[in-house]
Amino acid sequence: MLFLAFVVLSSCKSAVIPSFTSQRPPVSPNYENASTWAVLPDSYPENLKRWQTTTTALEADIFYIYPTLNIEKKDLRWNVPVADSIQNVKVIEKAVYFQASAFLNAGKLYVPYYRQAHLRSYTQYEKGGKEALNLAYSDVKEAFKTYLIKYNNGRPIIIASHSQGTTHAVQLLKEFFDGKPLQNQLVAAYIPGIAIKKNEFDYLKLMTDPTQTGGFVSWNTFKKNYYPKTYDKWFKGKEVSNPVDWDKSNESDRSDHKGFLFTDDKLYTQALQVYVKDGLLWISLPHFPYRLLVLGKKRYHAGDINLFWEDIRENASLRVESYLKTHGMLTENNN
């Protein structure tokens, strides 16, 4: 009995997280190899193709950076190898399918695998998280450099991301676009899931018109009238977009909502209203057959993109068209 009690007590203890420096980092990826990319334009996953209705005249590129997928407490790794088959399935079947898919008809899709940091990197930022996130970003940066040299050929670019992906996207935008020559190729940056300070960039601005280009949009989604405990520290005073009307309006009508992609692979239209608050995006309880499942839900972080999937899909294509017109690049095939 004493032995069993010891085993039970031992199993209840929290795992000791090793220091970042005590772990050998996963092998650095070589983005010249197609195997280091989750998605390239000539090798879309089969499940992704169901959402692709336009395959010609794609004049822009989409560079998508996926969110944190390693959230297991028992996983003591700070960073995930790009050859991790379990995590890579999540990249394709979750992140790409429910997020990157919204941009398929706006351009050619590029999704690099990267040594993503574990979720704990945010809560233990000073105890290894900073280094883990920096390592992850170094991959994103190398992948983007390879993309520019090997694939871009001067084409317009959309940067799309979520959560940890947005952490890296912000740094990428600063290094490559903000006040740099490449900003001229930026159609838009869709960077929800991380609060963006109003002075985060020197030249890139929050876009407040659905046809505006060359800036960014961002939001963090919560239940109407709910303020998270971290509101004052992380959200108050931050930038917020209206991902339904894409303008300066502080709320939308439910009839304006184009549709969200649920896990049953169905689109639900006119399902919710949005309310832009100081640093937050509030939504009404979604109107769809499974609404009781989310009755008590207050934080919609995981749904920042797929809640507005059709809204984003239409807007991304609209912004590409606007960019092509503004830059005199629109042809008959684009109309």
Side-chain angles (χ1 to χ4, degrees):
M1 291 294 291
L2 288 173
F3 173 75
L4 289 174
F6 174 77
V7 171
V8 170
L9 288 172
S10 298
S11 64
C12 291
K13 292 181 180 179
S14 299
V16 177
I17 307 301
S19 66
F20 178 83
T21 55
S22 70
Q23 292 186 358
R24 178 175 294 181
V27 176
S28 179
N30 180 356
Y31 291 104
E32 292 289 338
N33 299 329
S35 61
T36 59
W37 295 83
V39 179
L40 287 170
D42 60 353
S43 59
Y44 283 6
E46 287 301 317
N47 67 343
L48 195 60
K49 293 178 181 178
R50 71 170 291 187
W51 302 119
Q52 188 178 31
T53 58
T54 301
T55 57
T56 59
L58 293 175
E59 301 296 331
D61 291 339
I62 317 298
F63 190 86
Y64 165 76
I65 313 167
Y66 53 83
T68 308
L69 296 169
N70 187 14
I71 61 175
E72 299 298 329
K73 292 182 179 180
K74 294 181 180 179
D75 193 330
L76 303 183
R77 298 175 297 178
W78 282 102
N79 295 87
V80 176
V82 296
D84 187 305
S85 59
I86 294 176
Q87 294 298 324
N88 290 353
V89 168
K90 293 180 182 178
V91 171
I92 298 297
E93 296 187 356
K94 293 184 177 181
V96 170
Y97 187 76
F98 287 101
Q99 293 189 352
S101 57
F103 299 93
L104 277 181
N105 296 321
K108 295 180 178 180
L109 182 62
Y110 294 84
V111 184
Y113 288 122
Y114 68 95
R115 290 173 292 179
Q116 61 168 293
H118 191 284
L119 180 62
R120 76 172 69 89
S121 297
Y122 288 96
T123 57
Q124 299 189 31
Y125 186 76
E126 299 297 337
K127 298 179 180 180
K130 179 179 179 180
E131 290 82 359
L133 288 165
N134 285 342
L135 179 66
Y137 173 68
S138 71
D139 286 354
V140 173
K141 179 178 178 179
E142 286 303 310
F144 189 70
K145 287 166 64 177
T146 301
Y147 154 76
L148 286 177
I149 295 170
K150 190 173 182 178
Y151 300 110
N152 177 254
N153 295 315
R155 291 160 54 85
I157 302 169
I158 288 177
I159 299 295
S161 62
H162 181 243
S163 196
Q164 180 178 158
T166 292
T167 296
H168 305 317
V170 168
Q171 188 63 27
L172 195 75
L173 289 165
K174 288 180 177 180
E175 285 200 50
F176 289 87
F177 293 90
D178 192 24
K180 311 293 196 303
L182 198 60
Q183 185 175 340
N184 191 52
Q185 287 177 235
L186 182 65
V187 175
Y190 292 80
I191 50 175
I194 293 290
I196 308 297
K197 294 183 294 186
K198 291 188 181 297
N199 60 347
E200 188 68 57
F201 305 106
D202 292 327
Y203 297 93
L204 298 177
K205 303 301 180 183
L206 184 76
M207 298 184 296
T208 55
D209 182 274
T211 63
Q212 192 175 350
T213 62
F216 70 94
V217 290
S218 185
W219 60 90
N220 290 272
T221 316
F222 294 89
K223 179 181 179 181
K224 184 182 179 183
N225 296 325
Y226 174 72
Y227 288 94
K229 293 180 180 179
T230 56
Y231 172 71
D232 287 340
K233 180 178 181 181
W234 294 112
F235 299 101
K236 186 176 177 61
K238 302 302 193 297
E239 298 279 29
V240 186
S241 302
N242 180 332
V244 172
D245 295 330
W246 304 104
D247 56 20
K248 295 181 180 180
S249 58
N250 289 326
E251 64 180 81
S252 68
D253 294 328
R254 186 156 64 90
S255 59
D256 293 335
H257 178 240
K258 304 296 189 302
F260 78 87
L261 178 61
F262 192 53
T263 54
D264 60 357
D265 292 340
K266 294 182 179 179
L267 275 171
Y268 294 94
T269 63
Q270 300 183 356
L272 54 86
Q273 288 180 269
V274 300
Y275 308 85
V276 176
K277 290 296 177 180
D278 184 7
L280 301 177
L281 182 73
W282 283 345
I283 65 168
S284 61
L285 181 66
H287 285 248
F288 74 122
Y290 308 100
R291 63 186 311 200
L292 292 180
L293 296 177
V294 296
L295 192 60
K297 194 171 185 64
K298 297 178 180 179
R299 187 172 184 261
Y300 286 90
H301 176 73
D304 278 328
I305 289 182
N306 56 296
L307 279 168
F308 311 103
W309 190 89
E310 184 65 25
D311 305 83
I312 292 170
R313 180 156 78 156
E314 291 188 14
N315 183 253
S317 294
L318 180 63
R319 290 192 198 274
V320 170
E321 182 180 351
S322 177
Y323 177 95
L324 296 176
K325 285 181 179 179
T326 302
H327 291 76
M329 300 168 63
L330 198 64
T331 66
E332 289 185 5
N333 291 330
N334 300 122
N335 293 326

